[in-house]
Amino acid sequence: MSSRLSGDLEKEEEDEEEEEEEESLNPTQVKMSQIVMPCHSNHRQELSVGQLLKWMDSTACLSAERHAGSPCVTASMDDIHFEHTISVGQVVNIKAKVNRAFNTSMEVGIQVTCEDLFADRHWKVCHAYATFVTQRTSTGKKVILKPIVPQTQTEQVEYSVAAERRRVRMLHDDIIRDLLSLGSIQQENAVAAEKTKVESVELVLPPHANHQVNTFGGQIMAWMVNVATIAASRLCQAHPTLRTIDMFTFRGPSQVGDRLLLRAIVNNAFKNSMEVGVRAEAYQEEGPNRHINSAFMNFEVLDKNGKPCTLPRIRPEPVEGERRFQEAIARKKIRLDRKYIISRKQAEGPLSVPWDPRNQVYLSYNNVSALKMLAARNNWRLSSEKDKVRLYTLEEKSMLCVRVESEVDVPAHRAFGFLSELRNRTTWDTHYKECELIHRVDDEDFLYRVVTPSVRYGEGMLQDFILLASKRKPCSSGDPYVIALRSVSLPTYPPTEQFNRGEVLCAGFTILESTNNTSLITYYNQASPEVLPYISTDIAGLSSSFYHTFCSFLDPPPPHTPPSLGCPSAKCIKPIFQ
């Protein structure tokens, strides 16, 4: 397929999604359009990031309150990567809508695009996720949010993956701690970090407050960007460009009359970028300082051709400065790992991403979210159905996606317990020759080595897989159980001549409880073209025995045997794993 044709298809798919969303307008969606005036810009006549954050926070807050029907406050804003700048005279278009409501908190997705009125051009600026929480009522009672009902395919994907993003947020601090190392700090020809220190005080006045008389979250973020920019400028002695912001986390409220003490310092400087740490504290005339927010901002300095310049090294302060120096390295590794993992495409072989304890959280996130995105697709085609077992296919560019499902008389939690332990599979799938548990990462993630017959190299040949299995219980009522599988690579388990190393991009099960004793079990796989002949001959010909094999776990195993679970036929599962 030519790149041009591929691009046209992608554009058509995007257009279809936009038309779909227009037909079913999300009731929580809020739009804001602002023309960039000189008062909104920096010295380069570009929209200041602080002003953009104000507008983004305002739009997201209005969307959250539209859903909640009560006042809401910003709890956090996830990492933001700014892809393009916006010039004076151009129009900023912001759309925000609630992706998912949990109990008293909700995730709001924010999309920012830019419009050139004279050239009739539109382009993406950034995409962010913010978490808002409801405020208690006057009687101190919590406001319980009603659930979101996704209407479109895009909304279904965001709804489903929101639970996984929430899990990553909760683990963020633990990830940083696990990544900390005690590497050497180069001292020669380095700029002392103390020279980049900035301290500024802002008095919170009524114009800085929101409609709840709290300091507007967007205003706090704008002040933080301001001091961070000054700190970055002191290191590079030039005008820096803000590229990314690591998660904003609001730890407490601030009110009119507060003094906000803002501190910033360059934590670390890499070859072409630097991280600035910012801390915001609030205080009154009497009483202690209250820590209300922290963030980490990454800047670049661009030359006249728009290329990043080389930056001077930083010499951190003893103890605390050295800690921040090492944490900055950890955060950079997280950004690089996340970018690498999430950007992997099937055409970019190999499919396997190296597994490491330091990137485990994002590998697991990508594993589960990829399966949820596949499950949310709405253009599956029913290929065959027999004895209540349905086979669907989805052809997409060079891939064939397969979905096999049936409703069975087994409680969802029991089916989940059987299927989530891959070692049970050798008891019911004759094509699973071996299944070895390599490493138990935690209660939800496991590494396995699986040996199966090879499809590509004929009878008698074997192939093995190194699989990351991520299992998730329902986050709330109506969610399915999820078992996601993808290939990873381990230096301790390299490919050998005895086995052909196979790879899995995205596969797994969802198990949805229908009633107390029945569940809908669905198997998904994103298969490569090399196994299409096997799939077409063995999967398409569903038979009565196929259904009975699928439901074989209805008969409880004898007391002396381990529990096993029937599945959509060994013939079906085996080629899909290839």
Side-chain angles (χ1 to χ4, degrees):
M1 181 182 293
S2 70
S3 58
R4 180 177 179 180
L5 179 58
S6 176
D8 291 341
L9 288 175
E10 289 176 356
K11 187 176 187 301
E12 289 175 4
E13 290 173 1
E14 291 173 359
D15 292 341
E16 289 173 0
E17 288 180 2
E18 289 176 359
E19 291 174 2
E20 181 185 41
E21 290 180 357
E22 288 176 357
E23 292 174 0
S24 179
L25 182 63
N26 188 309
T28 70
Q29 182 170 284
V30 172
K31 297 180 180 181
M32 176 186 288
S33 293
Q34 297 279 357
I35 190 164
V36 180
M37 305 299 289
C39 62
H40 303 139
S41 67
N42 57 24
H43 62 283
R44 289 191 297 264
Q45 297 299 295
E46 295 171 350
L47 174 65
S48 72
V49 174
Q51 181 62 59
L52 177 58
L53 290 172
K54 287 184 188 180
W55 289 338
M56 291 170 64
D57 191 51
S58 294
T59 312
C61 183
L62 292 173
S63 173
E65 292 186 340
R66 176 175 285 184
H67 178 69
S70 64
C72 298
V73 295
T74 313
S76 67
M77 189 173 287
D78 289 3
D79 304 355
I80 308 172
H81 175 70
F82 299 99
E83 298 181 19
H84 299 283
T85 57
I86 305 170
S87 301
V88 170
Q90 294 176 336
V91 173
V92 179
N93 295 308
I94 304 173
K95 289 196 297 186
K97 60 182 178 182
V98 178
N99 291 331
R100 181 160 186 165
F102 295 97
N103 190 10
T104 59
S105 68
M106 68 200 96
E107 179 190 275
V108 180
I110 311 165
Q111 290 185 348
V112 182
T113 59
C114 183
E115 176 182 359
D116 190 322
L117 297 172
F118 302 102
D120 191 26
R121 290 176 54 243
H122 299 257
W123 59 91
K124 180 181 175 182
V125 175
C126 67
H127 187 193
Y129 297 101
T131 301
F132 284 80
V133 295
T134 55
Q135 288 195 320
R136 294 176 181 267
T137 64
S138 56
T139 59
K141 186 178 180 181
K142 288 184 177 181
V143 177
I144 305 300
L145 296 169
K146 59 182 182 289
I148 289 288
V149 181
Q151 300 296 325
T152 67
Q153 175 181 303
T154 302
E155 290 176 3
Q156 179 60 52
V157 168
E158 293 288 8
Y159 176 89
S160 186
V161 180
E164 200 63 18
R165 284 191 290 264
R166 183 174 184 238
R167 177 178 179 271
V168 173
R169 287 183 201 111
M170 293 177 174
L171 294 173
H172 187 267
D173 291 343
D174 293 336
I175 299 170
I176 297 295
R177 282 194 292 269
D178 291 342
L179 280 173
L180 286 181
S181 62
L182 298 176
S184 61
I185 298 173
Q186 184 172 336
Q187 301 286 339
E188 297 179 3
N189 302 320
V191 177
E194 307 93 84
K195 292 185 177 180
T196 70
K197 272 187 177 180
V198 179
E199 186 172 301
S200 180
V201 176
E202 298 283 353
L203 175 62
V204 181
L205 300 172
H208 303 141
N210 58 23
H211 51 296
Q212 303 158 35
V213 201
N214 290 324
T215 311
F216 177 42
Q219 179 63 68
I220 296 174
M221 289 189 279
W223 283 333
M224 294 174 74
V225 169
N226 178 60
V227 294
T229 304
I230 296 172
S233 300
R234 287 181 175 171
L235 175 67
C236 61
Q237 297 181 335
H239 294 297
T241 298
L242 179 57
R243 282 301 183 204
T244 62
I245 300 176
D246 280 9
M247 186 184 299
F248 280 107
T249 303
F250 288 89
R251 301 171 182 270
S254 168
Q255 294 84 29
V256 171
D258 276 347
R259 282 73 168 167
L260 255 61
L261 176 61
L262 302 143
R263 293 192 178 101
I265 190 171
V266 176
N267 290 333
N268 204 335
F270 306 99
K271 182 178 179 181
N272 301 120
S273 65
M274 71 186 98
E275 181 191 276
V276 180
V278 192
R279 179 184 175 98
E281 298 176 352
Y283 65 94
Q284 295 283 348
E285 292 182 1
E286 297 179 357
N289 290 11
R290 310 187 310 275
H291 181 193
I292 62 170
N293 204 334
S294 289
F296 303 96
M297 306 183 190
N298 298 279
F299 291 84
E300 293 177 348
V301 178
L302 306 179
D303 61 20
K304 60 182 180 180
N305 297 317
K307 301 296 183 181
C309 300
T310 302
L311 299 174
R313 293 184 176 274
I314 199 81
R315 185 173 66 252
E317 298 172 300
V319 189
E320 281 300 301
E322 292 174 356
R323 176 186 60 80
R324 293 194 298 265
F325 183 95
Q326 298 293 351
E327 287 179 349
I329 296 174
R331 280 185 287 271
K332 183 179 182 182
K333 175 168 176 50
I334 287 174
R335 289 191 296 273
L336 293 175
D337 284 347
R338 183 171 51 207
K339 182 178 180 181
Y340 175 74
I341 292 166
I342 295 176
S343 65
R344 297 292 290 167
K345 305 295 182 184
Q346 174 136 12
E348 294 178 352
L351 306 178
S352 300
V353 174
W355 182 87
D356 187 282
R358 295 173 296 180
N359 69 3
Q360 161 59 28
V361 171
Y362 292 101
L363 266 175
S364 177
Y365 164 79
N366 179 252
N367 192 19
V368 175
S369 60
L371 182 64
K372 288 184 174 182
M373 289 178 185
L374 184 60
R377 298 302 299 264
N378 59 10
N379 50 342
W380 291 96
R381 182 177 65 84
L382 180 62
S383 294
S384 60
E385 179 177 8
K386 191 165 187 177
D387 293 335
K388 299 181 181 179
V389 177
R390 296 172 292 277
L391 170 68
Y392 297 85
T393 57
L394 172 63
E395 295 186 41
E396 210 168 48
K397 299 179 184 177
S398 62
M399 290 179 292
L400 173 68
C401 302
V402 179
R403 168 179 147 201
V404 185
E405 69 179 21
S406 182
E407 191 163 2
V408 295
D409 296 329
V410 173
H413 70 275
R414 181 184 168 198
F416 175 71
F418 290 156
L419 279 173
S420 60
E421 175 49 80
L422 287 191
R423 287 176 296 181
N424 287 339
R425 187 150 173 177
T426 57
T427 65
W428 54 265
D429 186 347
T430 57
H431 290 86
Y432 251 55
K433 300 299 183 184
E434 298 176 26
C435 184
E436 171 192 359
L437 176 63
I438 297 174
H439 179 55
R440 181 181 183 276
V441 182
D442 52 36
D443 291 338
E444 297 182 313
D445 295 282
F446 304 81
L447 293 171
Y448 292 94
R449 178 178 176 267
V450 174
V451 177
T452 71
S454 174
V455 174
R456 294 180 61 187
Y457 297 100
E459 294 185 7
M461 292 294 296
L462 296 175
Q463 62 182 353
D464 64 349
F465 302 83
I466 305 300
L467 298 178
L468 170 64
S470 303
K471 61 180 184 179
R472 301 286 189 271
K473 293 182 179 179
C475 180
S476 59
S477 177
D479 283 357
Y481 291 86
V482 174
I483 304 162
L485 302 169
R486 69 158 296 155
S487 286
V488 295
S489 59
L490 290 172
T492 52
Y493 284 80
T496 63
E497 294 182 358
Q498 183 181 0
F499 299 95
N500 172 49
R501 178 57 54 87
E503 292 187 307
V504 176
L505 178 63
C506 174
F509 294 90
T510 63
I511 307 164
L512 184 64
E513 185 171 13
S514 302
T515 64
N516 289 335
N517 294 312
T518 64
S519 55
L520 178 68
I521 300 180
T522 308
Y523 180 82
Y524 295 92
N525 193 283
Q526 202 169 357
S528 58
E530 61 191 2
V531 300
L532 296 187
Y534 197 108
I535 292 175
S536 62
T537 56
D538 287 302
I539 299 183
L542 298 178
S543 64
S544 298
S545 61
F546 184 92
Y547 173 72
H548 295 306
T549 304
F550 189 92
C551 302
S552 63
F553 64 89
L554 289 174
D555 297 322
H560 63 279
T561 61
S564 61
L565 175 63
C567 181
S569 161
K571 289 185 178 181
C572 169
I573 299 300
K574 175 221 172 188
I576 293 177
F577 266 139
Q578 318 304 322

